[in-house]
Amino acid sequence: MEKRYTVGKTAIRLVKGDITKQDTAAIVNAANSSLMGGGGVDGAIHRAGGPQILDECRRIAASIGSLPPGDAVIATGGNLQARFVIHTVGPIWQGGGKNEARTLEKAYYNSLSLALEKELATISFPSISTGAYRFPLEQAAHIAAATVVRFAKENPLEEVRFVLFSEEDFAAYDTAVASLCTG
Ligand code: AR6
């Protein structure tokens, strides 16, 4: 299952699959503020990438304390094909009145900015916050798509890939991206 859209010089690709298997220069982790690992995407990335990832996260946590929701840091990809893992923290859904939408937008935007700063041309995102953090899928997909499209219009990334775990997630992101750009 795969779809491809274009915005400016950037390809936006949607794939159904496992983010740990992606060959982009960076993959994004839907982490928590402790940076000490967890379930979902976070657990899968630590398992597949090996102990180097946690070692580096420990060093980062020792220097910054915790990573606030919406912020992002870049670190090693360990044994993954991706050279870097960008750890970001999405908002925990609390009904929508706690700036969750803005925080989710920041998580995407700050992750994209780190990739650009490091001169990485390709990056993969999971569906941040829609698992354990319970952000409503359609709204999250729209925020993710709008933030990526806005960034792609202004910056020269080659490819932004959304890696979706289920068909339902794939369909929601496809609808959101399709509403914002041409195929
Ligand atoms: N590849 C791609 N997507 C995946 C994978 C995978 N290998 N595994 C799960 N998903 P979640 P969150 C999907 O819970 O909501 C962790 O414990 C999953 O089906 O990973 O931001 C952290 O440590 C869902 O659609 O992230 C935090 O404590 C999406 O990825 C907390 O969960 C996100 O689900 C973060 O929660």
Side-chain angles (χ1 to χ4, degrees):
M1 207 176 244
E2 205 169 320
K3 279 280 189 79
R4 188 179 193 280
Y5 298 86
T6 309
V7 176
K9 293 183 167 44
T10 305
I12 299 181
R13 276 177 67 196
L14 304 171
V15 305
K16 185 169 163 294
D18 181 346
I19 196 153
T20 66
K21 305 270 171 31
Q22 305 304 311
D23 61 0
T24 45
I27 65 170
V28 176
N29 182 18
N32 61 62
S33 290
S34 77
L35 293 176
M36 291 299 108
V41 176
D42 199 2
I45 288 175
H46 281 276
R47 276 194 302 280
Q52 268 179 285
I53 294 185
L54 188 57
D55 286 349
E56 205 174 335
C57 284
R58 278 193 213 287
R59 278 197 293 278
I60 294 168
S63 95
I64 66 169
S66 70
L67 186 67
D71 284 8
V73 293
I74 188 160
T76 181
N79 301 327
L80 296 170
Q81 241 186 296
R83 276 188 294 140
F84 297 97
V85 173
I86 295 172
H87 302 270
T88 191
V89 181
I92 298 172
W93 182 256
Q94 294 174 78
K98 302 272 186 196
N99 251 341
E100 293 97 321
R102 175 78 185 115
T103 303
L104 187 62
E105 180 186 335
K106 278 179 60 189
Y108 281 96
Y109 195 88
N110 288 328
S111 298
L112 291 162
S113 298
L114 281 176
L116 192 74
E117 252 173 65
K118 283 268 185 191
E119 299 185 353
L120 308 179
T122 58
I123 180 172
S124 294
F125 282 99
S127 177
I128 298 169
S129 280
T130 65
Y133 283 179
R134 300 184 319 274
F135 201 114
L137 177 62
E138 269 74 29
Q139 197 186 339
H142 185 76
I143 291 165
T147 308
V148 165
V149 166
R150 175 162 63 93
F151 195 90
K153 282 182 177 160
E154 296 163 358
N155 299 287
L157 290 176
E158 241 170 63
E159 181 185 327
V160 179
R161 194 179 297 173
F162 287 113
V163 183
L164 293 326
F165 221 39
S166 71
E167 276 178 38
E168 188 195 357
D169 293 345
F170 185 96
Y173 279 72
D174 189 30
T175 302
V177 175
S179 74
L180 296 166
C181 55
T182 52

